[in-house]
Amino acid sequence: MQPEKSSRTTLVLLIFLHFLACQVSSLDTIKQGDNLNSSSQLVSAKRIFTLGFHTPRNTNNSYLAIWYTAGSYGPVWIGNREKPISKNMNPVLTISNKGQLIITQSGGESFELFAAGSNKNQSLSAILLDTGNFVVSSNGEILWQSFDHPTDTLLPGMKLGVNHRTGRNWTLLSWFGESNPAPGAFTLEWDPSVRNLIVKRRGMIYWTSGELKDHYIELGNLRVKQFENFPSEVDIFNLNYNLSNVTSANEEYFTYSLIIDRTWTPEERKVISGWKINYDGDIYDTNRGTIDRPSLCYGYKTEGSSVPKGCALWAQPECRNNRETFVLRSGDFRPVNGRPAPSVYDNDSSLSLSDCREKCWKDCECVAYINGQGTDGCVYWKGKNLEFYQSPDGSLLRKYFLDSPSSSKGMKKHVMIILVVVSVIVVLILGIGLFVMRKVKQGKREEELKELLTLEGYTEGYELENGGAKSHDLRLFTYASIQSATSDFSSDYKLGQGGFGPVYKGKTPEGQDIAVKVLSRQSGQGLLEFKTELILISKLQHVNLVKLLGFCIHGDDKMIIYNYMRNKSLDFFLFNPSEREQLDWNKRFNIIEGIAQGLLYLHKHSRLKIIHRDLKPSNILLDENMTPKISDFGLARIFKQNIDEANTNRRVGTYGYMAPEYAMQGIFSVKSDVYSFGVLVLEIVSGRKNNCFRQIEGPLNLIEYAWELWRKDSALELMDPTLRDSCDINQLQRCIHIGLLCVENQAVDRPTIEDVIFMLKNETASLPMPKNPAFITRNSVFQEVEKSTKEKLSANELTLSEMGGR
Ligand SMILES: *[C@@H]1O[C@H](CO)[C@@H](O)[C@H](O)[C@H]1NC(C)=O
Ligand SMILES: *[C@@H]1O[C@H](CO)[C@@H](O)[C@H](O)[C@H]1NC(C)=O
Ligand SMILES: *[C@@H]1O[C@H](CO)[C@@H](O)[C@H](O)[C@H]1NC(C)=O
Ligand SMILES: *[C@@H]1O[C@H](CO)[C@@H](O)[C@H](O)[C@H]1NC(C)=O
Ligand SMILES: *[C@@H]1O[C@H](CO)[C@@H](O)[C@H](O)[C@H]1NC(C)=O
Ligand SMILES: *[C@@H]1O[C@H](CO)[C@@H](O)[C@H](O)[C@H]1NC(C)=O
Ligand SMILES: *[C@@H]1O[C@H](CO)[C@@H](O)[C@H](O)[C@H]1NC(C)=O
């Protein structure tokens, strides 16, 4: 056995032992007189949830908590968040004979969670249910339940809203900090009058979800509800949230459940999910990652910036402008006159991270801050003309630095004036251009456009394949024609929601079926640039790429028009139990080959060298012959802004398909596409989704599952059972092998797409052994990031405490 393998085996063994150890107590109920101390736990009937005492990292505090038995997602509920008990004080949960549910400690005050009226003769018991609800009841009557006392996480079935009968509100309240469950700055509330979720910071509205509306989803013709302002990515990867509002005489609330497919096994039904309002204001699912990022709200206009939809507007300090944000970076300010840049320490321990930011934002002198790193309160750096430098090796303490793209020193005013003049001219030219274009008859439209582009400086330097004889086939559609083709963007025509915006189906007057992709307005790109990009992209023609027909510009709205593909997309077949059988092994192998060919063309044979960055089953469309067509290629080029910001804000791409170096550091290359391709191959072979792996007590995701089977020499178990009759075992095994090579942790180890095609085609060529894959999930991203922060912090703690003493 190789050393690498053996250490991994040890790890698996350790996890298993740990698992056994946790299994010692598996009761789900305590009765009056029973005790639960720090070495015992309650575990729900199907082992989904555990209740016990939890000690957050780097603290000695003990809290009564409920968490998912599987996974390291942290507590979803805390009983005594305001009254931590030292873990050395032997905290014990008990139902006293007086009918109280209390936490006692040796030699300290006890904390009462609930007290039944003492005049009744009750026999109380408390049970931890598989929903995560901890319920105290007496003779079948529910007296108290943890679901009525939410902490910061909304589990499926929990309510958020108002109970008119008891006058109590169900509201989530964030933790104070990363390992401090005390009440923090953010709340997540439900406003039934406008059917909005609202995030407030210290009582002030920070972000709203927009109205909860009916929403049509392509897969399985589901009609589920969705919030207006949720980012479009949420639609895709959260197909299985069923959001709902309930209004009755006594209660008005929001809740959600998971859409569970009938075909799921009982094991698969133990899906982990919980919406958490994080201490920085972000909302994420404990298992699936970010839902939305209110922490990026700065209270100024959201249009055209990378701030999420739904941010509230606030009065702004005059000195701040809407290009400024704070960015977490490893770096420092250069010393001024030989002395370190001045910092100010505020020791007020009630200040959380977002309070520090708020204070810094409102102080015109403040250019950086940090919070809670070994000391309570905030540290600020203030001053004009402080010069920032980035730590070359990332070893300097990470702080939040003010990032103002427009304030590059000196010349600022001149640059602004020039910019204004230039943009006025450009707008004029564009205005005249568009006016001219409108006047031109349908037939001449293309000619005119080309001329216009030449006029505007579109150079012929980009001549592509086909000798450049024919410049482009791109058609300019009028807005009116798109409106009539899609019945005015009616929801009945909506095909789905892509990462870049909604997609509609339509029919042109000539009877051609089209798909209209409406780009979200955040592309932050000028019209000219948009057109130039599109024309470039339209020149990429390959049988495995979806064909671009044209585009349409209407005010700020930009649309791209494609050929409509009758057979929808790969995910429709692959992940749909009733359709899956239609894809026999031959078709699947052709699809794998086709995708590889399309990618090869993008990576090598088109002169643009396009890196797709969002390769996933829903972006692989299928025509009537089941030929795969890659769609959305080149969109990353159009959405340049998002990509430049890949390090700080939203990353283009979808978790589960993103290579680790891209997800964590924003580094992308052809090898990150190869990674996504590897995930696709494993999914095609197995008929299972990578990031929706629902086995609680097993591997994290499909990649890990495949890797474990591979190491046990039983890779064929990965095969989708419906392929049993049609598959070519050797070919299938080879595909798994190639898939595993593509998802290797180190980008340099992964093959290029050329290598992949060679390996697919040459059945006799010997393949290298795959190395450790990257088991990437949303949570491992968080954990990695946290870990690296921690490591750097401890290396720098000295600097900070010195500063604190000043
Ligand atoms: C917890 O309770 C059990 C039995 O009630 C006892 O054996 C054990 O020592 C206790 N553990 C602690 C840490 O008090
Ligand atoms: C926790 O307790 C141990 C010993 O009781 C002590 O060394 C350590 O500093 C404490 N940690 C914190 C964060 O208070
Ligand atoms: C209270 O209930 C218990 C059984 O649950 C019973 O043995 C006892 O006699 C009852 N006491 C009174 C005062 O009713
Ligand atoms: C509950 O919410 C309503 C409105 O949403 C508010 O008027 C009321 O004061 C809240 N009650 C409590 C106890 O927070
Ligand atoms: C949700 O809200 C809408 C609009 O207020 C209402 O018509 C509908 O009845 C509510 N749904 C339920 C289940 O109460
Ligand atoms: C969503 O939940 C509502 C009630 O909460 C239920 O009536 C509906 O059938 C669910 N929809 C799906 C697709 O599961
Ligand atoms: C915080 O600072 C103030 C004055 O700057 C001082 O009086 C106080 O003792 C400090 N508090 C703590 C907890 O260090």
Side-chain angles (χ1 to χ4, degrees):
M1 206 178 250
Q2 294 154 10
E4 202 173 85
K5 280 192 178 181
S6 77
S7 71
R8 192 162 159 84
T9 317
T10 320
L11 187 70
V12 171
L13 197 71
L14 277 178
I15 290 172
F16 181 69
L17 285 177
H18 175 74
F19 185 71
L20 274 187
C22 295
Q23 248 181 335
V24 170
S25 152
S26 55
L27 291 175
D28 63 356
T29 309
I30 57 169
K31 297 203 166 55
Q32 221 153 356
D34 289 350
N35 282 339
L36 195 72
N37 62 20
S38 53
S39 52
S40 46
Q41 290 165 346
L42 294 186
V43 178
S44 68
K46 291 184 187 156
R47 306 194 44 79
I48 298 178
F49 286 96
T50 301
L51 177 143
F53 286 96
H54 169 81
T55 299
R57 274 187 301 174
N58 308 328
T59 73
N60 287 329
N61 293 333
S62 200
Y63 297 91
L64 182 70
I66 296 174
W67 60 88
Y68 273 106
T69 308
S72 49
Y73 305 107
V76 295
W77 181 81
I78 300 268
N80 56 325
R81 64 190 302 183
E82 286 172 84
K83 287 256 187 307
I85 291 176
S86 164
K87 71 174 178 194
N88 306 320
M89 303 288 268
N90 298 323
V92 172
L93 175 73
T94 182
I95 304 181
S96 73
N97 289 326
K98 290 188 206 145
Q100 302 157 290
L101 181 66
I102 49 171
I103 304 168
T104 59
Q105 52 179 329
S106 53
E109 253 180 87
S110 53
F111 179 81
E112 181 181 282
L113 289 156
F114 160 75
S118 55
N119 48 1
K120 283 191 210 155
N121 183 12
Q122 289 164 317
S123 62
L124 298 185
S125 67
I127 181 167
L128 178 64
L129 300 175
D130 278 321
T131 54
N133 197 3
F134 185 48
V135 179
V136 179
S137 59
S138 162
N139 307 321
E141 187 197 352
I142 294 180
L143 302 175
W144 179 93
Q145 52 185 337
S146 65
F147 271 21
D148 280 339
H149 303 267
T151 310
D152 68 337
T153 305
L154 186 74
L155 294 171
M158 266 173 96
K159 299 170 181 175
L160 212 56
V162 198
N163 183 340
H164 296 302
R165 202 166 43 81
T166 61
R168 205 184 294 124
N169 290 348
W170 296 287
T171 300
L172 301 185
L173 180 52
S174 72
W175 284 26
F176 183 87
E178 201 177 348
S179 36
N180 184 355
F186 291 93
T187 54
L188 181 66
E189 304 173 15
W190 169 248
D191 183 341
S193 60
V194 286
R195 308 209 302 154
N196 267 228
L197 287 179
I198 298 180
V199 171
K200 291 184 183 166
R201 201 196 81 82
R202 303 260 178 235
M204 184 169 157
I205 295 185
Y206 212 68
W207 173 89
T208 55
S209 65
E211 201 186 336
L212 185 62
K213 286 186 166 162
D214 272 339
H215 179 82
Y216 185 72
I217 286 181
E218 186 188 0
L219 289 184
N221 293 343
L222 288 180
R223 193 175 281 279
V224 294
K225 291 182 196 289
Q226 185 58 279
F227 286 110
E228 262 174 337
N229 293 337
F230 268 22
S232 44
E233 301 94 277
V234 172
D235 293 338
I236 297 186
F237 90 151
N238 290 326
L239 269 183
N240 26 19
Y241 288 141
N242 181 11
L243 314 182
S244 52
N245 67 292
V246 174
T247 309
S248 71
N250 286 337
E251 302 175 328
E252 292 182 282
Y253 63 84
F254 165 82
T255 187
Y256 79 97
S257 60
L258 297 161
I259 299 173
I260 310 252
D261 196 303
R262 265 177 298 115
T263 61
W264 292 11
T265 65
E267 202 55 34
E268 285 173 337
R269 283 165 194 255
K270 300 176 181 173
V271 192
I272 291 178
S273 174
W275 291 14
K276 181 183 172 82
I277 174 86
N278 202 28
Y279 67 92
D280 61 6
D282 284 346
I283 308 172
Y284 65 84
D285 188 302
T286 46
N287 188 34
R288 293 154 204 223
T290 315
I291 293 175
D292 216 329
R293 301 205 53 195
S295 72
L296 298 179
C297 289
Y298 281 80
Y300 46 70
K301 276 206 165 62
T302 60
E303 199 75 12
S305 65
S306 54
V307 173
K309 268 164 85 183
C311 288
L313 299 179
W314 318 305
Q316 295 296 324
E318 286 204 351
C319 54
R320 300 294 188 202
N321 69 61
N322 66 5
R323 306 285 313 266
E324 292 179 324
T325 53
F326 287 106
V327 179
L328 187 60
R329 288 199 176 121
S330 164
D332 212 337
F333 295 108
R334 295 202 188 283
V336 182
N337 303 329
R339 312 186 61 182
S343 64
V344 183
Y345 175 48
D346 181 347
N347 69 4
D348 181 351
S349 63
S350 70
L351 297 173
S352 71
L353 181 65
S354 75
D355 300 312
C356 301
R357 183 174 95 172
E358 185 76 3
K359 287 200 152 191
C360 190
W361 180 253
K362 286 190 169 156
D363 179 342
C364 294
E365 302 249 285
C366 183
V367 288
Y369 67 89
I370 195 173
N371 155 273
Q373 313 294 349
T375 48
D376 283 334
C378 319
V379 182
Y380 306 106
W381 283 260
K382 300 184 184 184
K384 294 211 170 83
N385 303 324
L386 286 181
E387 203 186 329
F388 168 79
Y389 69 95
Q390 181 111 24
S391 161
D393 55 357
S395 65
L396 287 173
L397 180 66
R398 280 153 60 103
K399 320 176 185 52
Y400 290 88
F401 289 98
L402 189 68
D403 190 45
S404 41
S406 56
S407 71
S408 38
K409 291 146 275 165
M411 302 286 293
K412 192 171 150 191
K413 279 225 168 102
H414 296 97
V415 172
M416 287 292 274
I417 291 169
I418 291 169
L419 270 181
V420 167
V421 171
V422 167
S423 45
V424 165
I425 292 173
V426 168
V427 165
L428 267 179
I429 292 177
L430 276 179
I432 294 169
L434 281 174
F435 178 74
V436 169
M437 265 161 50
R438 288 246 167 85
K439 293 278 167 195
V440 176
K441 280 183 196 144
Q442 179 101 11
K444 286 194 172 175
R445 203 166 265 128
E446 270 174 44
E447 287 284 318
E448 290 288 337
L449 172 65
K450 194 180 150 205
E451 243 177 70
L452 185 71
L453 285 170
T454 324
L455 266 179
E456 286 168 346
Y458 168 69
T459 64
E460 300 285 74
Y462 273 109
E463 275 312 327
L464 297 162
E465 332 285 87
N466 313 333
K470 197 165 141 219
S471 70
H472 60 85
D473 283 329
L474 213 54
R475 200 173 137 188
L476 181 66
F477 286 76
T478 62
Y479 186 63
S481 71
I482 299 294
Q483 265 181 318
S484 84
T486 59
S487 186
D488 204 7
F489 302 98
S490 118
S491 58
D492 292 340
Y493 282 67
K494 191 161 171 184
L495 286 175
Q497 182 87 23
F500 297 97
V503 186
Y504 296 88
K505 184 190 161 161
K507 212 181 195 73
T508 63
E510 303 89 68
Q512 188 181 14
D513 285 327
I514 55 172
V516 180
K517 184 177 282 276
V518 183
L519 299 182
S520 61
R521 296 183 179 194
Q522 292 172 0
S523 69
Q525 199 193 30
L527 286 182
L528 177 63
E529 221 183 339
F530 171 70
K531 283 187 282 192
T532 315
E533 274 306 320
L534 258 190
I535 289 173
L536 288 176
I537 293 166
S538 77
K539 299 196 179 193
L540 305 180
Q541 294 200 1
H542 188 272
V543 61
N544 295 117
L545 300 183
V546 76
K547 188 165 154 38
L548 214 62
L549 295 177
F551 63 98
C552 169
I553 295 171
H554 174 71
D556 280 347
D557 292 324
K558 298 165 193 150
M559 284 153 253
I560 305 180
I561 290 94
Y562 296 100
N563 251 342
Y564 173 72
M565 291 291 144
R566 198 147 316 246
N567 270 330
K568 305 190 178 169
S569 50
L570 181 57
D571 58 336
F572 174 77
F573 286 94
L574 211 49
F575 305 136
N576 199 336
S578 54
E579 309 289 340
R580 192 180 295 155
E581 281 180 35
Q582 293 187 42
L583 291 183
D584 62 20
W585 175 247
N586 248 336
K587 291 201 180 104
R588 290 197 201 191
F589 189 71
N590 284 340
I591 289 173
I592 291 174
E593 263 200 309
I595 301 170
Q597 294 288 359
L599 258 192
L600 178 69
Y601 178 81
L602 289 178
H603 286 177
K604 284 222 56 151
H605 294 159
S606 77
R607 282 197 213 154
L608 289 179
K609 184 166 177 175
I610 300 250
I611 298 171
H612 190 294
R613 287 177 230 209
D614 198 12
L615 207 59
K616 59 183 172 185
S618 59
N619 276 338
I620 308 294
L621 307 186
L622 298 171
D623 73 0
E624 56 278 10
N625 304 319
M626 292 284 179
T627 309
K629 309 259 181 188
I630 301 177
S631 80
D632 278 10
F633 54 92
L635 280 194
R637 281 177 70 100
I638 287 180
F639 280 74
K640 279 205 180 89
Q641 203 182 5
N642 277 357
I643 286 156
D644 289 339
E645 287 168 358
N647 274 316
T648 51
N649 293 318
R650 270 190 209 177
R651 234 149 259 187
V652 187
T654 307
Y655 279 85
Y657 301 90
M658 277 157 88
E661 72 275 9
Y662 182 28
M664 289 179 204
Q665 292 148 38
I667 299 170
F668 53 82
S669 66
V670 289
K671 293 295 185 71
S672 26
D673 274 355
V674 167
Y675 179 93
S676 313
F677 175 81
V679 178
L680 261 173
V681 169
L682 295 175
E683 289 185 330
I684 292 173
V685 169
S686 65
R688 310 178 73 157
K689 277 190 203 179
N690 183 39
N691 56 353
C692 289
F693 222 69
R694 297 185 172 94
Q695 276 177 326
I696 294 289
E697 286 151 21
L700 221 46
N701 57 20
L702 181 61
I703 298 178
E704 183 171 10
Y705 181 55
W707 175 243
E708 280 179 358
L709 290 177
W710 174 266
R711 282 168 16 99
K712 284 193 299 187
D713 257 350
S714 45
L716 281 179
E717 280 177 36
L718 194 66
M719 179 177 78
D720 181 346
T722 64
L723 292 177
R724 200 156 285 141
D725 299 329
S726 64
C727 87
D728 168 339
I729 295 288
N730 283 334
Q731 224 174 29
L732 191 136
Q733 191 137 23
R734 209 170 173 78
C735 283
I736 296 175
H737 193 153
I738 294 170
L740 284 171
L741 288 172
C742 292
V743 297
E744 281 176 338
N745 196 13
Q746 297 294 326
V748 287
D749 293 338
R750 291 174 215 148
T752 64
I753 198 72
E754 268 173 301
D755 300 334
V756 167
I757 289 173
F758 175 81
M759 295 188 284
L760 283 172
K761 291 205 155 159
N762 293 279
E763 303 214 337
T764 51
S766 69
L767 308 184
M769 275 297 136
K771 296 185 189 157
N772 256 6
F775 304 129
I776 184 160
T777 65
R778 291 190 156 225
N779 278 288
S780 68
V781 175
F782 288 133
Q783 281 156 12
E784 280 304 317
V785 172
E786 274 171 20
K787 211 173 82 200
S788 57
T789 318
K790 279 273 139 58
E791 279 158 7
K792 278 156 203 163
L793 280 178
S794 52
N796 284 278
E797 242 154 34
L798 252 180
T799 341
L800 213 119
S801 42
E802 265 175 34
M803 227 153 31
R806 246 171 238 150

